[in-house]
Amino acid sequence: MSVGGPKSRTTIKSGSGYRNAEYVSGPNEGVVVDLSEFAEDLVNYQDISHRLSDEQERRIVDYVKSMVDMSYFKIRKRYDHWTEADRAHDVYVPPDATDFREKAVIADTRAIADTVLTYLMAALSGRNPMFQLEGLNRKSRQSSMILERVLHQQMRRTAGEARLAQLLLDSIRYGFAPTKIVWDSGTNQNRMINFDPRRCFPDPRVNWGDWDNMQYIVFSDYVSFNSLLYSGMYPKLKMFPALRHKISPPRNAWNAHQFHREEGRGLSIDPSAPNQRERFDHAYFTLGDARVVDEAWVRLSGHEINIPTIDQIFLVITILDENVVIRFQLNPYGRQMPAVIGGLYQDSHKTYGQSLYDLILPMHDIATYLMRSRIDNISAALNNLIFVDPTQVSVPDLIDRNPWGVVRTLPGTKPGDGVFIAQVPDVTRGHFNDIAAMAELKQRVSAASDAQQGMPTSDGIRTATEIQRLTQLGSQRLGVLARVMSATTIRPMVRMMVANIQDSLSMEGSVKVDEREMPNQLASMVDDGYLDFDVQKDLQGDIDYLVIDGTLPLEPTRNAETWMNMLQIMAQTGLNMEYNAGQIAEEAIRAMGITDMDRFRISKDQMAQEGPSPSQQMQLMEKMRGASVQPNENVQQEVQKGNLIPLRERQGQ
């Protein structure tokens, strides 16, 4: 279906402004593609890709290409710097390097990045459960507790720690860490998908962090046809078997699909390169080349698809081989694009965030140059220039000399005659001090000190107090970055996952828990070590919660220090005689992260054989210290517990 027609014409006379402008519009002005015939199917979340006409498909493909081009020509300016960051991070040595000096690369840049990554991982995901949800009202408290345990189970099941570590690493290395948060209907759980920044194309018309105002974001990937087919997300592939064969790219191929990552030492392989060994006519099978797939999450006005009754519409569009629309439907995640973009240094006045490598690469390059110049100087000193008089000394003997060699001279020539060795001065003697100075500057910029890296301090021996204070100050600087990243990336990511659980999880389920860890609100729902829940009853509805990670203070009851202070106060006030101090101590130990305490507990049989433990004896003495006479019922209870022995039985022993 063609949506062409006369183009709009606007004529504005000088000085008259837009109010008096002559304006003539075409019949389909501003319409990307006319989809009015599919209005009902779209609002019912149906995939209409197989029903598109050739003209509709062409216009949609061209529109997605325009979005990718707009983003690519902006973000590609970062590619060269990202390559430099990759080289520094990988301690890169060219595979064809033959000169020894080319193999000298400063490696402490990688150590600094690993230190920052370690801190962020501990701060953002070092708790159990990994992400805790605190209900902000009485109605939301129980649901938040269940959701946090369901989310924790999914994160552990899908290697969420590794996905989160990749997100943080991309933030450190590139300052740009695109991550998709999708629901896997096959496994009935959330999935985090880390994307190479070079294959992600967000709307460049918004500044950093203003993701809600993006009109689009496109993810490009290379996958096999079978992977696409087995995913179950593209029914059109089954309807048209010819799509199994790779379609030739259009005459104007997409620039964004070039392989921009450096292959280096084989760490990165271009998936788009064809497999030439399969191109034989007599072959009875073929694996096929990788297929390029562009997945666009788009926000359009209803007018742009000729459905003016809709104000805004959020769509997902998938393009195969730069030609074919294999998915076109309403965004299953509502009015939200299922992606978060991490960055280490937030600056809302810039288009893209700054990375740690942006700050330390200049010092890294200087330090590498200093090391290589030192090697050059040493090499020159070991291979001094020799000036020779060929009329007195055999030059070939000097060139091919060995420790036991013979240098022939003319008769009458004294040793050393005819030979002058030019000494090369050591002008790079202080370069190692300069390299150390560069390392210190990098540590100052990154807040990753020697102490935080687990290394002895470079400026001499310090006291434990001094080291602790320096480490604390560095952690405070990194803590600011962690809190900002938590607010801008981690918490929105967790909220996406929670929304997916509420919308898509099966109607009932269970998670394995430690019954002793369960709050009273959930105790009745735990059976045989499993927390049973009903999605519609327990998880859905308007749940008001706060995402708590390592950057925010814990609830008092989840802090081991709270329980320890409680024990101290009880001991000082005598309240330990009225409460079970042992159970309080167990809560403190569980808050420290040790949940399996039963393997340390003394069995009842062992207690019967050995009698009361020293702690029980101490507790009994404390109880009896303040009272000379106890009520008879208390005495009988202690006898039944085995803490007291009746006098007549003791006399009979």
Side-chain angles (χ1 to χ4, degrees):
M1 178 183 298
S2 175
V3 295
K7 296 182 178 180
S8 63
R9 183 180 73 252
T10 303
T11 303
I12 301 178
K13 299 179 181 180
S14 178
S16 63
Y18 64 91
R19 291 182 176 86
N20 299 322
E22 179 185 357
Y23 183 79
V24 180
S25 64
N28 292 293
E29 182 195 358
V31 177
V32 175
V33 58
D34 188 353
L35 300 177
S36 56
E37 59 185 298
F38 306 122
E40 184 177 354
D41 295 332
L42 280 175
V43 297
N44 289 325
Y45 290 90
Q46 293 187 22
D47 182 2
I48 64 170
S49 61
H50 62 286
R51 300 173 59 187
L52 298 172
S53 67
D54 291 343
E55 176 65 13
Q56 289 171 328
E57 188 169 51
R58 183 188 65 80
R59 293 182 69 91
I60 293 171
V61 170
D62 289 345
Y63 186 69
V64 174
K65 181 179 184 299
S66 298
M67 291 188 294
V68 173
D69 283 345
M70 174 185 282
S71 181
Y72 168 75
F73 285 111
K74 300 291 185 181
I75 199 172
R76 69 174 181 174
K77 299 176 182 179
R78 295 281 294 158
Y79 287 178
D80 290 341
H81 186 81
W82 289 347
T83 299
E84 294 179 15
D86 285 337
R87 290 187 170 191
H89 187 80
D90 298 336
V91 195
Y92 175 80
V93 177
D96 56 348
T98 57
D99 196 355
F100 184 75
R101 70 182 305 276
E102 298 181 27
K103 301 179 182 180
V105 181
I106 293 294
D108 66 334
T109 305
R110 169 66 177 268
I112 290 174
D114 289 345
T115 301
V116 176
L117 174 62
T118 301
Y119 177 88
L120 293 177
M121 281 293 294
L124 296 171
S125 65
R127 292 180 174 175
N128 188 13
M130 187 179 303
F131 303 115
Q132 299 172 2
L133 309 180
E134 181 180 349
L136 298 180
N137 53 55
R138 189 180 300 275
K139 179 182 176 181
S140 304
R141 185 168 179 81
Q142 177 174 308
S143 298
S144 298
M145 291 179 179
I146 299 174
L147 280 170
E148 85 173 13
R149 285 159 175 81
V150 173
L151 178 60
H152 181 72
Q153 183 185 69
Q154 292 186 0
M155 290 291 290
R156 291 298 174 90
R157 186 184 296 166
T158 58
E161 300 97 329
R163 306 298 182 186
L164 182 61
Q166 185 67 56
L167 186 156
L168 298 176
L169 176 59
D170 290 344
S171 300
I172 293 169
R173 184 165 47 181
Y174 308 121
F176 183 64
T179 306
K180 286 175 61 181
I181 309 298
V182 298
W183 184 262
D184 188 340
S185 57
T187 59
N188 200 33
Q189 60 189 355
N190 281 291
R191 285 183 59 205
M192 293 177 60
I193 304 175
N194 305 110
F195 256 83
D196 188 332
R198 301 168 181 85
R199 297 183 184 175
C200 178
F201 305 98
D203 190 346
R205 295 168 294 183
V206 300
N207 283 339
W208 185 263
D210 193 17
W211 313 125
D212 291 338
N213 289 324
M214 286 195 306
Q215 183 179 335
Y216 67 87
I217 184 170
V218 183
F219 298 94
S220 298
D221 203 2
Y222 293 94
V223 295
S224 69
F225 181 84
N226 284 353
S227 296
L228 293 173
L229 189 66
Y230 298 153
S231 68
M233 299 173 58
Y234 312 105
K236 186 175 179 177
L237 299 179
K238 293 184 177 180
M239 299 178 186
F240 300 93
L243 292 175
R244 176 174 289 275
H245 300 287
K246 190 173 184 179
I247 300 175
S248 300
R251 184 173 297 177
N252 297 321
W254 299 15
N255 293 293
H257 295 156
Q258 301 175 37
F259 190 70
H260 298 282
R261 181 179 283 277
E262 188 175 52
E263 296 190 48
R265 293 171 290 184
L267 298 175
S268 299
I269 305 296
D270 184 1
S272 63
N275 186 358
Q276 299 294 335
R277 294 186 62 185
E278 294 180 6
R279 299 182 179 270
F280 296 105
D281 295 335
H282 64 274
Y284 59 89
F285 72 91
T286 179
L287 295 178
D289 299 331
R291 314 294 288 272
V292 60
V293 178
D294 294 277
E295 184 182 79
W297 301 85
V298 189
R299 177 178 64 181
L300 296 173
S301 66
H303 177 73
E304 290 177 293
I305 57 174
N306 205 22
I307 309 178
T309 56
I310 300 177
D311 181 24
Q312 289 188 92
I313 186 167
F314 290 74
L315 301 166
V316 54
I317 307 170
T318 305
I319 310 295
L320 176 66
D321 294 338
E322 306 176 354
N323 279 280
V324 183
V325 179
I326 59 175
R327 185 187 184 189
F328 192 106
Q329 69 178 108
L330 205 63
N331 185 347
Y333 303 101
R335 302 171 69 87
Q336 177 175 268
M337 298 178 187
V340 294
I341 299 178
L344 190 62
Y345 298 101
Q346 304 289 327
D347 192 339
S348 59
H349 304 304
K350 297 178 181 177
T351 306
Y352 298 106
Q354 198 174 32
S355 71
L356 176 64
Y357 280 83
D358 284 315
L359 302 180
I360 64 179
L361 266 179
M363 290 169 281
H364 168 87
D365 293 338
I366 293 173
T368 299
Y369 165 76
L370 292 172
M371 176 176 283
R372 290 180 176 179
S373 62
R374 177 64 174 162
I375 293 174
D376 290 339
N377 199 167
I378 295 174
S379 180
L382 294 175
N383 298 275
N384 294 312
L385 292 176
I386 303 176
F387 298 87
V388 181
D389 183 357
T391 63
Q392 301 184 57
V393 180
S394 175
V395 175
D397 291 347
L398 287 175
I399 296 176
D400 300 327
R401 64 185 184 276
N402 59 69
W404 302 276
V406 176
V407 178
R408 290 168 294 180
T409 62
L410 291 178
T413 303
K414 298 179 181 179
D417 289 349
V419 178
F420 175 76
I421 300 176
Q423 299 291 331
V424 177
D426 187 3
V427 297
T428 61
R429 186 184 302 273
H431 278 199
F432 279 120
N433 293 331
D434 297 334
I435 293 172
M438 290 294 105
E440 186 177 353
L441 284 175
K442 285 189 284 186
Q443 292 181 12
R444 289 184 180 181
V445 170
S446 63
S449 63
D450 286 332
Q452 287 179 313
Q453 297 182 48
M455 301 285 294
T457 56
S458 58
D459 55 349
I461 300 175
R462 295 178 181 268
T463 64
T465 304
E466 288 178 320
I467 294 176
Q468 183 179 6
R469 176 164 176 79
L470 290 174
T471 304
Q472 198 172 28
L473 291 173
S475 298
Q476 289 176 355
R477 288 177 57 192
L478 293 175
V480 173
L481 300 179
R483 285 192 291 273
V484 174
M485 180 171 287
S486 174
T488 58
T489 305
I490 303 301
R491 289 178 224 165
M493 179 188 73
V494 174
R495 289 189 173 275
M496 288 183 188
M497 291 182 176
V498 170
N500 291 343
I501 292 173
Q502 290 181 297
D503 294 340
S504 305
L505 192 64
S506 57
M507 296 308 295
E508 60 183 19
S510 62
V511 291
K512 185 162 178 53
V513 296
D514 188 344
E515 298 185 35
R516 295 164 301 176
E517 289 186 328
M518 286 296 95
N520 294 330
Q521 294 91 334
L522 303 180
S524 61
M525 304 175 62
V526 178
D527 183 22
D528 194 25
Y530 289 89
L531 172 65
D532 300 318
F533 59 88
D534 184 276
V535 175
Q536 188 172 6
K537 175 184 175 183
D538 299 319
L539 302 184
Q540 293 183 350
D542 188 12
I543 302 174
D544 192 8
Y545 63 91
L546 177 67
V547 180
I548 299 179
D549 52 37
T551 65
L552 294 178
L554 283 170
E555 288 186 75
T557 57
R558 294 179 175 180
N559 193 341
E561 190 176 353
T562 300
W563 298 104
M564 299 301 293
N565 291 337
M566 181 178 175
L567 286 173
Q568 188 176 1
I569 294 173
M570 290 172 59
Q572 294 174 352
T573 59
L575 289 174
N576 56 346
M577 298 178 62
E578 303 179 22
Y579 295 90
N580 193 326
Q583 291 186 1
I584 298 174
E586 288 183 3
E587 288 293 337
I589 295 172
R590 291 193 187 98
M592 297 175 185
I594 302 172
T595 59
D596 187 14
M597 292 185 58
D598 283 339
R599 59 194 180 103
F600 307 112
R601 195 180 302 277
I602 300 174
S603 65
K604 294 182 179 180
D605 295 340
Q606 188 177 357
M607 291 179 61
Q609 295 177 1
E610 300 179 1
S613 63
S615 61
Q616 292 174 325
Q617 296 176 14
M618 293 267 307
Q619 187 178 6
L620 179 62
M621 293 175 61
E622 289 291 332
K623 289 181 178 180
M624 299 179 61
R625 183 173 294 171
S628 57
V629 180
Q630 296 189 47
N632 186 59
E633 57 181 11
N634 292 354
V635 174
Q636 293 299 323
Q637 291 177 0
E638 296 295 333
V639 170
Q640 293 177 1
K641 294 178 181 179
N643 296 331
L644 292 177
I645 301 176
L647 182 61
R648 61 180 179 271
E649 294 183 12
R650 181 178 292 275
Q651 291 174 346
Q653 292 179 351

